[in-house]
Amino acid sequence: MRVMGVDPGLTRCGLSVIDGSRGRQIVALNVEVVRTAVDVPLPGRLLAISDVVEQWLDTYRPDVMAIERVFSQQNVSTVMGTAQVGGVVALAAAKRGVAVHFHTPSEVKAAVTGNGGAGKAQVTAMVTRILGLQAKPTPADAADALALAICHCWRAPMIARMAAAEAQAGGQRQRVGAKVKAAR
Amino acid sequence: MRVMGVDPGLTRCGLSVIDGSRGRQIVALNVEVVRTAVDVPLPGRLLAISDVVEQWLDTYRPDVMAIERVFSQQNVSTVMGTAQVGGVVALAAAKRGVAVHFHTPSEVKAAVTGNGGAGKAQVTAMVTRILGLQAKPTPADAADALALAICHCWRAPMIARMAAAEAQAGGQRQRVGAKVKAAR
């Protein structure tokens, strides 16, 4: 499974691509932080980020995209920019039929360190170890994008089981509904 | 000047196009509310909205797009969806080189009713009167999208003057900077 991880942000947007399969070493194919200048109007910043994300999608053709789910506990204007980037990135995936999953920061930290409240240094250290990298990925946005992709890779079997269970439950609900209809 | 107004939202996204020029009657060319279902995953909803917005941009070729600026006083998850839609819509304009301006809800209300705290009914009534419509535009998102476009149309001369003044001030700063450099 090839996963593209995206840590959305207007000033710095972390991108990563990894290859992973059950019981195998996860391999990082690329990691990059896209930067846009604060003095460029918002539409231009979104376009610059969208262009790079589209290039990556066309180059790496990932099976799935994992995006960090934004919460609003941070600075309001930062959160708005982050949400706008998240929307633009999800759109680029949707246009190519690439599935998109969102993971919260604590889900990502818990996946790679075992602790949902882990600090940035700990996340970076574990990402470096899991991927067998020679050097720590920097800045933190690069490590976060890799951690997101790893998180999705490891949670994917559980997500698939939950989706299957839900589909089955939906099918049962439909069958029960049909019986009720037939009994009328 | 042709203005496309967008009241961004995931469940209901209001779109409008108007033609306006100084001292002339403003004419509404179209207004529509794009709806997406709550049970569709986010990327699919963003794609559906983006597709309609791109169609409108290609059909009406507006000179400028006016989008409602999101604030976070509302429900957090609603705000995130609204910001994501706003990002996707601004991107569609940026891809076509269409200028984008954001206006706050109170700027829009003040422009069309003279009161930044006006209610929805008052905004709808004024939009109906300004555009000389036979019937009130419904739902409220349609009226809001029209009010946004009207607001931009009326504020555009002031925005242009401010931009010109800023450019001039920037030029002066640069000349002063050059003199300071030359004097060293």
Side-chain angles (χ1 to χ4, degrees):
Chain A
M1 182 168 58
R2 180 164 290 184
V3 183
M4 178 164 170
V6 181
D7 181 22
L10 263 179
T11 307
R12 287 185 307 276
C13 181
L15 305 180
S16 74
V17 178
I18 64 164
D19 269 347
S21 56
R22 194 187 283 255
R24 289 264 192 87
Q25 166 76 39
I26 295 178
V27 180
L29 302 182
N30 200 356
V31 63
E32 184 183 328
V33 175
V34 184
R35 294 163 196 272
T36 70
V38 181
D39 57 350
V40 172
L42 175 71
R45 302 177 77 179
L46 293 174
L47 182 58
I49 295 166
S50 174
D51 281 349
V52 178
V53 168
E54 295 202 335
Q55 269 173 32
W56 276 55
L57 284 167
D58 293 339
T59 304
Y60 296 105
R61 304 188 169 276
D63 301 305
V64 59
M65 181 187 269
I67 308 180
E68 188 171 294
R69 189 182 290 281
V70 185
F71 281 107
S72 63
Q73 63 258 51
Q74 305 144 263
N75 180 296
V76 170
S77 67
T78 307
V79 165
M80 290 297 143
T82 307
Q84 285 160 333
V85 172
V88 160
V89 169
L91 176 72
K95 279 188 173 175
R96 286 159 179 80
V98 174
V100 176
H101 287 271
F102 290 87
H103 301 281
T104 66
S106 60
E107 283 168 348
V108 175
K109 289 173 189 171
V112 298
T113 74
N115 172 12
K120 286 194 176 294
Q122 200 182 343
V123 170
T124 300
M126 281 308 296
V127 164
T128 310
R129 189 179 305 173
I130 292 163
L131 298 173
L133 302 175
Q134 300 287 317
K136 287 178 186 171
T138 57
D141 312 78
D144 284 347
L146 288 166
L148 256 160
I150 295 168
C151 167
H152 184 81
C153 202
W154 286 349
R155 294 188 80 206
M158 190 263 295
I159 291 169
R161 277 197 302 275
M162 278 172 65
E166 205 163 288
Q168 206 181 7
Q172 280 170 350
R173 272 197 300 274
Q174 281 183 347
R175 280 193 294 278
V176 170
K179 274 184 192 168
V180 169
K181 244 181 169 174
R184 272 179 191 160
Chain B
M1 181 170 59
R2 181 164 290 184
V3 184
M4 179 165 167
V6 181
D7 180 23
L10 263 179
T11 308
R12 286 185 308 275
C13 181
L15 307 180
S16 75
V17 178
I18 64 163
D19 269 348
S21 57
R22 194 188 284 254
R24 289 263 191 88
Q25 165 77 40
I26 297 178
V27 179
L29 302 182
N30 200 356
V31 62
E32 184 182 325
V33 175
V34 183
R35 295 162 194 271
T36 70
V38 180
D39 57 350
V40 172
L42 176 71
R45 301 178 78 179
L46 294 173
L47 182 58
I49 294 166
S50 173
D51 281 349
V52 178
V53 168
E54 296 203 334
Q55 269 174 32
W56 276 54
L57 285 166
D58 294 339
T59 303
Y60 296 105
R61 304 187 169 278
D63 301 304
V64 59
M65 181 187 269
I67 309 180
E68 187 170 294
R69 190 182 290 282
V70 186
F71 280 107
S72 65
Q73 64 259 52
Q74 307 144 264
N75 180 296
V76 170
S77 68
T78 306
V79 165
M80 291 298 143
T82 306
Q84 286 161 333
V85 172
V88 160
V89 169
L91 175 73
K95 279 190 171 172
R96 288 160 179 78
V98 174
V100 177
H101 288 272
F102 289 87
H103 301 281
T104 65
S106 58
E107 283 168 346
V108 175
K109 289 173 191 171
V112 299
T113 73
N115 171 11
K120 287 195 176 292
Q122 200 183 343
V123 170
T124 299
M126 282 307 296
V127 164
T128 310
R129 190 178 306 175
I130 292 162
L131 297 172
L133 302 176
Q134 299 288 318
K136 288 180 184 168
T138 56
D141 313 79
D144 284 347
L146 287 166
L148 256 160
I150 295 168
C151 167
H152 184 81
C153 202
W154 287 349
R155 294 188 79 207
M158 191 263 294
I159 292 169
R161 279 197 301 274
M162 280 172 62
E166 206 163 287
Q168 206 181 7
Q172 280 171 352
R173 273 197 301 273
Q174 279 184 352
R175 281 194 292 279
V176 170
K179 275 184 195 169
V180 170
K181 243 183 172 173
R184 271 182 194 159

